[in-house]
Amino acid sequence: MRRASLLLLCLLGVACGDRRPATGLDVSSALGGEAAAGFARASEPRRFAFPEDHNAHRAFRNEWWYFTGQLATADGEGFGYQVTFFRIALAPAAPGRSSAWATRQVWMAHVALSAIDAGAHWHGERFARAALGLAGQQARPFRVWLEDWQVTGGEGGSFPWELAVATEDFTLALSLSPERDPLLQGDEGLSQKSAEAGNASYYYSITRLATAGAITVGGERHTVTGRSWLDREWSTSALGADQAGWDWFSLQLDNGADLMVYRLRQKDGSTDRHSAGTLLGADGRRQALAAGDFQLQPRRWWRSEDGTRYPVAWRLQVPGAGLDLRVEALLDDQVMDTAVRYWEGAVSVAEADSDRTLGRGYLEMTGYRP
Amino acid sequence: MLTAKGLTYRFREGGADHELFAGLDLELAAGECVALLGASGSGKSTLLNLLGTIDSPQAGAIHIGGRDISRLVEPERTLFRRQHLGFVYQRFLLVPTLTVAENVRLPLDLLGVPGNDADARVAHWLDAVGLGSRGESFPDRLSGGEQQRVAIARALVHAPELVLADEPTGSLDAETGERVLDLLLARAREGGGALLLVTHSEAVAHRADRVLRLEGGRVTSL
Amino acid sequence: MSGSRLPVAASTRFYRQHPLQLLLALLGISLGAAVIVAVALATRTAALSFDRSLEALAGPMTHELRARDGALQEDLYRRLRLSGNPPPALPMLEAQLRIGDRQLTLVGIDPLALPPGGPAPGAVSSELPRLLTEPGAVLVPETIAAETGLRPGRPARGTIRERGMALLPLALFPAGPGDWLGDALLADIATVQELAGREGELDRIQLRLAPGEAEVLRRALSPTVELRRHADRRDTFDAMTGAFRTNLTAMSLLAMLVGAFLVYNTMAFAVVQRRATFAVLRMVGTTPRQLFHRLLLEAAALGLVGGLLGIALGLVLGQGLLTLVARTVSDLYVAIEPTRPAIAPSQLLTALAVTLGAVLAATLMPAREAARTAPVALEKSSAAPGRRRLQAAAGLVLLAACPLLLAVSGSSLLAGFTALFLLITGYALLCPALLRGLLAGLLRVLPRRGGVGPALALRGVESALPRTAPALTALAVAVAATVGVAIMIDSFRGSVASWLERTLQGDLYVYLEGEGERLAPDWEARLAALPGVETVAAARQRTLRIDGEPLRVLVLGANAVASRSFAIVTGPATAAGDMLAAGDGILVSEPLARRRGLTVGSTIELATPAAPLTLSVRGVYRDYASSYGAAVLPRALYERHWPDRELSSIALTLAADADPQALRRQLLALGAARGLELNVNSNRAIRDHSLAIFDRTFVITEVLRALVIVVAFVGILSALMALFLERSREFAVLRATGMTPRQLLGLVLTQAGASGLLAGLLALPLGGLLSILLIDVINRRSFGWSLATRVDPAIVLHSLLLAVAAAALAALWPARRLAGSDLRDALYAP
């Protein structure tokens, strides 16, 4: 869900206050201000079909393919990674134009690598138009790409998917195969984000993808294996005007259960009642969590270079499932210093009172300001 | 004090060599006032220039205070002149852009006499030549007699061993000339240095202690 | 002077008593310094202006990809982007856009490719959706909005390549001078491709490359694409304008040289006037060395004060000069908008040092003379004959060194200017001797005819020579510079005029205003079909790469010989016609040939859209259009290798009975019908326009020349004043013996006029030599042009008049003062 909000907050100009540059490309405002008229809205549950729904839904304004995961080498050196492709439509329909550059779609990608043992975090950001083959998504064979950053699959979206990213700091070459079926989030895949009808997205996840491949960093190639999480979401509008940001957790527990929760924060600091989550049991049982079904309390704050304070350790309680967890960043500084600044990183999951390790996951925090 | 022996001086003019004198001898005792008489063109002024380190003889030697000055080269000549000699000329030769007091002070300045001492000596000598109240005037505000008195003060202010005076009354009327001459002789005697007074006037010459005549390239005593 | 303040007091009081003399000396020094500062300011600011336009062009980018010829294919950008870890790269496409009568540049970019964190107009991101999706959407710099009246949200119409189109200004953005992408309308690249009808094409791809990346990239490029460093353009600019700037600097040094004569004159006179004082100082014990130092100190003080005044004056003067320099650079090289005047502190220090150096050098001789003063003047001595001979000999040596230097220095411009200064200095040293000789000659001729009058006047001039020689020399040098430069400009203009005459043989020329504006190919046939038109010859002006260097190339068909002929400098006279008819080979212009050492039979490599072409040079032609070089290519050859068929201009010859004016109106109407503002001009109009630009180019030279004359005038004024003051007793005697004031005035003016005439006569040979040096050495080495020397007798006459008038005018005031002065004062002055 988070990713929807990330962009939408941008659209609303909320999360981007710290980046209102007279210089540089201000994508957040670039994406803002357009009327939603002409785009499809997520207003009622729909039928999902796979692998078709892995492909783009161009009638909606925004859409993303969001990969995160924790990997390790054979001798236990740990890494976290993030690879995200955002599709943003600037207009509902493409007018007939003769230039190959003409388009109504632009793409943005964020990539990051956390080297847990080395205590380092690198990230990259790119933009491109969906024209001239610079960026896009295609079904046959499955491919999402922005320049040379890409995810490719088989005919019609079949797995495994190959993920390839190269920045000046690191490269990723990973192969991903799902261990579980797609999980429809919210109400059968319809995820309501604020009170207004249509302020919702279609949202599914593949919470466990077996991952293997290579990470090259500092000229050194590491063979790694581990587990990834894929979020897929598309929408036209979602957040309400008084929402300030969110804290989003995707956790893979060692007992085979997967937990996704997000807390939407109001501008006054309170928790929005549209905060929600899903617990997917090891047996495949799905349990929807409403705002009242879980509690989140910051346990430790970390101050970033620009003075922003982020809660990098949390207590997460799901009383109905008997869960009382301590979620803590594996690395404090996993700030994404991109056009929209946010915190996204690998976390450990432990039992709150015994500190016994229970799993791992990813945490995203947006809307924090210096 | 001053001994000149065997002085020879030749110069070139109009394509021919002229010999002004050859083997000229001259002697002056310390503190002595001597007049040198001679007709126009006899070489009086040239002799004065030789004695004043302004010109050099082709042969012969000049000793002043025991030092041979005829073979000195620049800048020793100038430094010698600065220290040991004083000059009074017919045309006064004051610096027009300096005041009377500054003109008198000039030799002290060049010798590096400190300010207070110099001030006192300038004041003393201006009083001595009767111009105590004209120190701030520029020379062109002064009469000829007054200008020559300034020149006398300047020639004596640093107590030179020898003062050379070339027709000091030549540009002045008789009465003024007489008064200036009195002053020069009196002050020169007072100062204790020797004075060589070059003139063509017998009357002036006979005011001196001793009179010499320059004629045909020889100095004779009268 | 070892602690003594009295001699200093004497000096200060001297100048206080002669304020005019001080003033003139300071004026001369400061004028010389001012010209140096002004030229430095103007040329430096011009270079800075270019830097700024370069910054506006390059912004944060370091390199640029361009096609060696024509456009880049957009696929190159895609491949670059999809290659592993691409560098920051911005694709660009430009179009010349006409709105109303304004010619604007429209730049298409990919806003998403702007490097993150770099400078870019804020409106790009805030208007991104519409910028990308609305056809015709543009962003407008506020400066251009103010000039064109474009308003956000209000649709406007414009014309690109004869096609009208709708534009939609989305927003204005502030852009200061030098801001990247701040000098043009901005649009999405798709928009510009569509508006300009250039789908699939890019003009360039700007890149930000780290050291080392460029070489890697260059190896991967196809030979039709080239990678250029932005910084190299600065080098090109420096190379192009180097000769021009050197010329200006040389002119300013000439002013300083004349100023130095003036200082010499002032100091020499100041020494003579104070000879009595120096004698007294020597008598009471001042050493020669002390006097020498003191004079130098005095000069240094004058130089410092004059230099500082000159800097102040030069900063003002420089602003005026800047306009001229910027215009000339724009006319001749690249368009620049002058920025705020700027000068480096080091340049000011240099100007001050040059001034002080010149003043001290000019004072050396007078100071040595002062140091030699005998204690109590033994005799009046001017420059002894021995020294005069020595000076003349030194002059001869310098003169002899001049051709020697030229012979061994190849084509070095610096050596050319050194020779120029050797010539001037050598001649100046010789001047006093020449003046004496000239005067002796005149005296031998004159007395036989006139009575006492002329002889008296001339003898007066002669006896004054020791005093006036430096000033007369300065005047002679200044007048000679005038003569030399005038002959050079006149020859230059004559050569250009006859070249234009020869080049423009069509009756009417049809073209579009503006760089890069092109006519559709069908105009050729349409014009040929008009009644009254006898022949039609189309030309293309293209910038092509010859041996890797972008050069202007004129593409002509075989039929062009009817309306255009070439003066072949090297090669058969029919080289042009033969080459155009054969459709093979190339003609290179004289500057290009000289710069690159090309001659008939040399081969050059020409970049084409495909493989490079090797061509043989068929001839070298005279061309004054570009000092950088140009070439002519046969149309058949061009069309074999280039797809482009558009035309730059069309020359028409008319039937004998055709009415040019009627035809012109008809052509204008034809253009208007297609929405075009055609330029239809007669060969005469074009010639006049070209010569107007030519004249504009030399305005700055004329201004500098005038300044040199002013400096010399001040010199002669102060010299004559000094002279007459010195000789006031002599004049008093003349008055006493019965000369009326008017007669005396006449005498003095005659003497001054005669002196001026002497200087003028002396100036002529030097002027002639200078013009030869300027035309055959400086010009050729600077620009590569050969000129036919022309000597207009009027120039000679004017310079003589100038010299006489300057001298007489300078004498007028001192002479009047003299004539009216009190006789007694003069007679009885000490």
Side-chain angles (χ1 to χ4, degrees):
Chain A
M1 120 81 214
R2 49 181 168 177
R3 309 48 208 287
S5 311
L6 171 66
L7 272 172
L8 291 170
L9 275 188
C10 296
L11 292 176
L12 296 168
V14 173
C16 325
D18 55 332
R19 282 253 174 150
R20 191 137 277 278
T23 61
L25 180 59
D26 182 357
V27 176
S28 46
S29 59
L31 303 178
E34 283 297 286
F39 290 105
R41 304 288 287 263
S43 44
E44 54 192 20
R46 68 188 281 278
R47 273 186 58 86
F48 283 79
F50 298 100
E52 290 80 6
D53 277 325
H54 294 321
N55 294 318
H57 302 81
R58 293 188 171 82
F60 293 82
R61 188 150 69 178
N62 307 307
E63 182 163 17
W64 47 88
W65 292 255
Y66 216 121
F67 298 88
T68 54
Q70 289 198 24
L71 309 168
T73 61
D75 40 1
E77 196 178 345
F79 294 94
Y81 83 91
Q82 172 202 349
V83 173
T84 322
F85 293 92
F86 299 88
R87 178 186 64 79
I88 303 130
L90 303 173
R97 293 180 59 175
S98 57
S99 168
W101 295 75
T103 181
R104 65 178 184 100
Q105 310 251 12
V106 298
W107 286 74
M108 171 171 87
H110 286 181
V111 297
L113 177 71
S114 301
I116 307 302
D117 301 283
H121 175 255
W122 302 272
H123 63 270
E125 176 183 42
R126 281 191 194 168
F127 301 94
R129 61 179 69 210
L132 220 69
L134 294 174
Q137 194 275 323
Q138 72 183 29
R140 255 167 260 284
F142 175 79
R143 181 170 177 237
V144 185
W145 80 98
L146 196 161
E147 296 168 355
D148 61 327
W149 295 351
Q150 60 179 352
V151 182
T152 50
E155 280 294 320
S158 63
F159 289 92
W161 287 359
E162 308 294 335
L163 206 152
V165 161
T167 73
E168 52 191 19
D169 300 314
F170 63 90
T171 63
L172 302 176
L174 303 173
S175 180
L176 288 72
S177 302
E179 297 173 358
R180 312 190 76 155
D181 289 334
L183 165 69
L184 301 185
Q185 305 277 21
D187 177 9
E188 292 296 316
L190 176 68
S191 174
Q192 192 69 31
K193 296 304 190 327
S194 65
E196 195 190 325
N199 272 5
S201 63
Y202 292 114
Y203 181 7
Y204 71 86
S205 309
I206 300 179
T207 57
R208 287 187 187 222
L209 295 123
T211 305
I215 293 173
T216 309
V217 62
E220 208 177 322
R221 188 169 181 279
H222 306 271
T223 304
V224 291
T225 55
R227 213 167 256 146
S228 300
W229 177 302
L230 166 66
D231 266 354
R232 286 272 294 119
E233 194 161 2
W234 58 94
S235 68
T236 291
S237 64
L239 282 200
D242 50 357
Q243 290 168 332
W246 61 86
D247 308 300
W248 185 95
F249 298 77
S250 58
L251 310 177
Q252 295 156 334
L253 303 183
D254 294 343
N255 66 6
D258 297 316
L259 174 64
M260 184 284 289
V261 294
Y262 57 84
R263 181 180 73 142
L264 294 172
R265 299 194 311 278
Q266 301 276 48
K267 281 178 180 159
D268 60 8
S270 61
T271 299
D272 189 288
R273 62 186 180 86
H274 292 94
S275 303
T278 308
L279 178 65
L280 181 64
D283 55 1
R285 261 196 39 216
R286 180 183 169 282
Q287 184 185 344
L289 304 174
D293 297 336
F294 63 93
Q295 282 97 48
L296 275 167
Q297 284 140 11
R299 280 298 186 219
R300 185 166 70 81
W301 295 80
W302 168 79
R303 195 183 180 85
S304 77
E305 239 172 54
D306 69 345
T308 310
R309 282 158 40 90
Y310 293 99
V312 290
W314 294 81
R315 184 174 182 192
L316 167 56
Q317 291 167 284
V318 188
L323 289 174
D324 187 358
L325 307 173
R326 180 180 171 84
V327 178
E328 181 155 19
L330 287 168
L331 206 61
D332 285 351
D333 183 1
Q334 300 186 75
V335 171
M336 297 294 287
D337 187 12
T338 44
V340 179
R341 188 175 298 165
Y342 60 103
W343 194 102
E344 170 114 23
V347 293
S348 63
V349 182
E351 201 170 56
D353 39 11
S354 74
D355 268 358
R356 185 166 59 91
T357 299
L358 290 183
R360 60 184 56 116
Y362 250 74
L363 164 63
E364 176 178 282
M365 300 182 284
T366 69
Y368 291 91
R369 302 202 191 180
Chain B
M1 210 285 318
L2 172 111
T3 325
K5 274 218 175 325
L7 295 185
T8 301
Y9 190 84
R10 287 182 293 268
F11 65 98
R12 211 179 149 75
E13 192 177 87
D17 281 331
H18 300 267
E19 190 171 79
L20 210 50
F21 34 77
L24 181 146
D25 298 333
L26 178 70
E27 240 175 292
L28 248 77
E32 198 182 10
C33 232
V34 176
L36 182 66
L37 263 172
S40 191
S42 61
K44 303 188 301 281
S45 295
T46 302
L47 180 57
L48 212 60
N49 284 340
L50 295 179
L51 299 178
T53 72
I54 284 166
D55 212 341
S56 305
Q58 278 85 20
I62 304 168
H63 285 82
I64 295 178
R67 195 163 165 203
D68 185 0
I69 59 149
S70 52
R71 298 288 169 263
L72 287 182
V73 290
E74 287 296 357
E76 285 92 6
R77 306 169 84 182
T78 307
L79 296 178
F80 180 84
R81 192 160 65 233
R82 183 191 285 182
Q83 215 163 351
H84 303 286
L85 301 180
F87 293 88
V88 182
Y89 279 91
Q90 178 180 355
R91 291 196 59 196
F92 325 140
L93 298 183
L94 300 178
V95 178
T97 48
L98 293 181
T99 64
V100 164
E102 285 169 341
N103 265 287
V104 174
R105 191 195 177 101
L106 204 48
L108 299 177
D109 226 47
L110 286 165
L111 284 169
V113 175
N116 289 341
D117 190 9
D119 286 344
R121 282 161 78 174
V122 168
H124 167 78
W125 279 102
L126 279 179
D127 279 340
V129 297
L131 290 170
S133 58
R134 304 299 302 274
E136 296 310 306
S137 305
F138 281 93
D140 60 356
R141 295 275 143 220
L142 268 53
S143 71
E146 287 170 328
Q147 290 193 40
Q148 194 60 303
R149 278 147 62 190
V150 176
I152 290 168
R154 186 181 63 192
L156 294 168
V157 69
H158 55 304
E161 288 147 51
L162 174 64
V163 174
L164 300 167
D166 189 0
E167 303 276 10
T169 59
S171 305
L172 306 173
D173 58 76
E175 196 183 325
T176 313
E178 189 69 16
R179 283 212 306 275
V180 165
L181 189 62
D182 286 344
L183 187 74
L184 176 62
L185 290 169
R187 295 296 163 255
R189 285 180 178 127
E190 213 171 87
L195 171 71
L196 181 62
L197 180 68
V198 171
T199 179
H200 66 277
S201 153
E202 302 257 351
V204 168
H206 284 101
R207 301 285 303 275
D209 300 345
R210 191 152 65 93
V211 181
L212 302 174
R213 180 180 294 278
L214 178 59
E215 211 169 21
R218 302 210 161 272
V219 174
T220 50
S221 211
L222 280 183
Chain C
M1 173 146 288
S2 63
S4 174
R5 57 168 193 90
L6 291 180
V8 178
S11 286
T12 358
R13 286 183 199 144
F14 169 77
Y15 283 111
R16 215 178 293 155
Q17 283 167 15
H18 300 86
L20 200 65
Q21 207 170 327
L22 178 67
L23 198 77
L24 289 174
L26 285 179
L27 189 63
I29 297 169
S30 50
L31 275 177
V35 175
I36 291 185
V37 169
V39 165
L41 176 98
T43 51
R44 180 179 158 88
T45 308
L48 285 179
S49 308
F50 179 77
D51 282 352
R52 197 183 63 180
S53 64
L54 198 62
E55 274 163 30
L57 191 76
M61 305 309 234
T62 59
H63 288 72
E64 183 171 280
L65 281 174
R66 268 178 176 279
R68 288 197 190 274
D69 183 73
L72 286 175
Q73 296 307 303
E74 66 190 10
D75 190 55
L76 174 66
Y77 179 74
R78 190 185 61 81
R79 280 186 284 126
L80 191 70
R81 274 297 189 183
L82 296 187
S83 69
N85 201 15
L90 184 68
M92 297 176 98
L93 180 68
E94 288 176 5
Q96 295 304 312
L97 169 69
R98 180 175 286 278
I99 295 179
D101 56 355
R102 291 268 309 170
Q103 178 85 25
L104 302 166
T105 302
L106 174 64
V107 175
I109 57 164
D110 180 359
L112 293 166
L114 287 170
V124 170
S125 45
S126 60
E127 296 293 339
L128 185 65
R130 297 170 74 200
L131 197 59
L132 258 56
T133 54
E134 295 208 19
V138 294
L139 300 172
V140 186
E142 279 168 2
T143 45
I144 291 183
E147 289 164 12
T148 55
L150 289 174
R151 292 284 167 271
R154 192 193 302 165
R157 288 205 61 81
T159 314
I160 295 177
R161 297 180 150 202
E162 308 187 21
R163 285 191 5 218
M165 56 203 45
L167 297 173
L168 178 63
L170 295 179
L172 306 186
F173 64 92
D179 281 357
W180 189 36
L181 306 172
D183 57 354
L185 300 186
L186 278 185
D188 184 50
I189 205 152
T191 307
V192 180
Q193 280 191 345
E194 289 163 2
L195 292 180
R198 294 184 57 192
E199 286 84 349
E201 292 184 354
L202 299 176
D203 283 328
R204 45 205 161 99
I205 300 172
Q206 290 196 335
L207 299 165
R208 188 166 66 200
L209 297 180
E213 287 182 340
E215 263 324 296
V216 177
L217 179 59
R218 192 169 279 129
R219 277 197 294 274
L221 291 173
S222 98
T224 60
V225 176
E226 63 161 350
L227 179 66
R228 282 198 290 173
R229 210 163 59 98
H230 281 305
D232 291 343
R233 291 198 186 197
R234 176 57 203 267
D235 298 346
T236 309
F237 177 81
D238 285 348
M240 276 198 307
T241 59
F244 174 64
R245 285 177 293 137
T246 310
N247 274 304
L248 290 186
T249 306
M251 275 305 249
S252 70
L253 288 176
L254 185 62
M256 193 71 239
L257 190 68
V258 174
F261 277 108
L262 182 53
V263 173
Y264 170 73
N265 189 59
T266 305
M267 292 310 292
F269 182 56
V271 166
V272 168
Q273 270 181 312
R274 285 181 290 171
R275 196 172 268 153
T277 298
F278 294 150
V280 175
L281 289 174
R282 292 281 291 113
M283 178 185 81
V284 298
T286 308
T287 61
R289 177 179 287 266
Q290 283 174 321
L291 270 186
F292 182 73
H293 284 170
R294 162 125 158 271
L295 259 290
L296 285 192
L297 200 71
E298 210 175 289
L302 279 179
L304 194 67
V305 173
L308 290 176
L309 284 176
I311 285 176
L313 185 62
L315 291 178
V316 177
L317 200 63
Q319 318 234 346
L321 220 52
L322 171 59
T323 323
L324 297 177
V325 169
R327 204 169 60 187
T328 304
V329 169
S330 296
D331 280 345
L332 297 185
Y333 306 106
V334 288
I336 52 169
E337 281 284 319
T339 50
R340 237 159 37 93
I343 189 162
S346 66
Q347 285 179 299
L348 293 181
L349 285 180
T350 308
L352 201 59
V354 169
T355 308
L356 272 178
V359 169
L360 287 178
T363 310
L364 276 180
M365 274 233 271
R368 277 184 53 188
E369 207 170 314
R372 279 208 203 102
T373 310
V376 187
L378 293 176
E379 85 223 72
K380 275 215 161 182
S381 77
S382 67
R387 284 223 327 275
R388 268 188 235 143
R389 268 200 297 278
L390 193 70
Q391 186 185 330
L396 282 175
V397 168
L398 291 188
L399 286 183
C402 179
L404 225 64
L405 176 66
L406 290 178
V408 300
S409 62
S411 61
S412 154
L413 184 58
L414 185 68
F417 278 114
T418 312
L420 192 73
F421 279 86
L422 281 181
L423 171 64
I424 293 175
T425 317
Y427 195 87
L429 286 173
L430 219 51
C431 263
L434 291 175
L435 276 169
R436 244 170 273 279
L438 206 57
L439 205 58
L442 279 177
L443 274 171
R444 212 167 303 143
V445 182
L446 257 174
R448 285 186 219 134
R449 297 216 258 118
V452 186
L456 184 67
L458 279 186
R459 290 232 173 74
V461 172
E462 190 186 32
S463 68
L465 267 187
R467 242 355 356 97
T468 51
L472 288 181
T473 304
L475 184 64
V477 168
V479 171
T482 306
V483 172
V485 172
I487 292 179
M488 187 269 283
I489 295 182
D490 198 48
S491 305
F492 205 158
R493 200 177 192 281
S495 302
V496 169
S498 66
W499 168 73
L500 285 169
E501 189 88 28
R502 190 171 183 140
T503 302
L504 301 169
Q505 291 188 345
D507 295 311
L508 285 179
Y509 288 81
V510 181
Y511 55 96
L512 287 169
E513 192 75 46
E515 186 86 20
E517 284 283 347
R518 292 171 185 189
L519 288 164
D522 64 333
W523 276 100
E524 197 175 2
R526 294 173 56 157
L527 296 190
L530 290 177
V533 171
E534 205 152 76
T535 70
V536 167
R540 296 190 183 102
Q541 279 281 3
R542 297 291 183 265
T543 300
L544 302 181
R545 308 213 127 232
I546 293 181
D547 290 344
E549 183 180 52
L551 283 168
R552 294 190 70 120
V553 174
L554 184 67
V555 181
L556 292 175
N559 56 354
V561 285
S563 52
R564 168 161 191 146
S565 78
F566 289 88
I568 301 295
V569 183
T570 315
T574 57
D578 295 348
M579 180 196 76
L580 295 180
D584 191 25
I586 192 166
L587 233 50
V588 295
S589 76
E590 194 184 5
L592 180 61
R594 193 175 298 276
R595 192 158 56 81
R596 301 271 292 276
L598 298 174
T599 182
V600 175
S602 306
T603 56
I604 55 103
E605 197 184 86
L606 183 67
T608 76
L613 210 60
T614 303
L615 293 176
S616 149
V617 173
R618 297 298 164 87
V620 177
Y621 67 101
R622 183 161 287 172
D623 174 69
Y624 297 111
S626 160
S627 65
Y628 203 59
V632 177
L633 208 60
R635 178 170 177 170
L637 179 90
Y638 182 82
E639 292 186 348
R640 273 202 301 279
H641 295 276
W642 277 265
D644 151 46
R645 293 292 178 270
E646 290 181 314
L647 307 172
S648 302
S649 67
I650 301 171
L652 308 177
T653 54
L654 305 185
D657 57 348
D659 174 2
Q661 281 310 316
L663 199 62
R664 183 167 182 274
R665 281 191 297 274
Q666 197 180 350
L667 287 167
L668 290 178
L670 263 179
R674 282 229 213 159
L676 280 184
E677 216 177 303
L678 284 183
N679 276 307
V680 181
N681 281 317
S682 68
N683 53 18
R684 163 163 293 280
I686 293 176
R687 193 160 58 230
D688 291 350
H689 178 68
S690 306
L691 286 177
I693 290 182
F694 177 90
D695 291 339
R696 220 156 70 184
T697 310
F698 279 99
V699 167
I700 184 160
T701 314
E702 300 280 355
V703 168
L704 289 178
R705 193 160 59 128
L707 285 171
V708 171
I709 294 283
V710 169
V711 176
F713 179 79
V714 171
I716 198 85
L717 179 64
S718 70
L720 289 174
M721 277 186 29
L723 171 69
F724 294 144
L725 287 173
E726 195 179 52
R727 294 171 65 198
S728 49
R729 191 182 322 231
E730 181 189 323
F731 289 131
V733 171
L734 290 175
R735 285 282 311 284
T737 48
M739 213 175 229
T740 64
R742 177 177 284 275
Q743 279 172 321
L744 186 59
L745 186 67
L747 174 71
V748 166
L749 287 181
T750 311
Q751 286 186 358
S755 305
L757 186 66
L758 281 177
L761 288 173
L762 271 188
L764 291 181
L766 179 58
L769 289 172
L770 279 179
S771 75
I772 293 173
L773 211 57
L774 286 172
I775 291 174
D776 288 337
V777 179
I778 302 296
N779 222 320
R780 208 170 278 210
R781 292 186 181 185
S782 300
F783 306 112
W785 284 316
S786 63
L787 309 175
T789 305
R790 255 171 49 138
V791 182
D792 187 345
I795 294 178
V796 175
L797 203 64
H798 284 161
S799 351
L800 285 180
L801 278 176
L802 176 72
V804 172
L809 205 63
L812 202 58
W813 187 69
R816 283 179 65 98
R817 220 176 75 143
L818 195 70
S821 67
D822 191 329
L823 203 54
R824 274 172 314 168
D825 281 358
L827 275 176
Y828 293 106

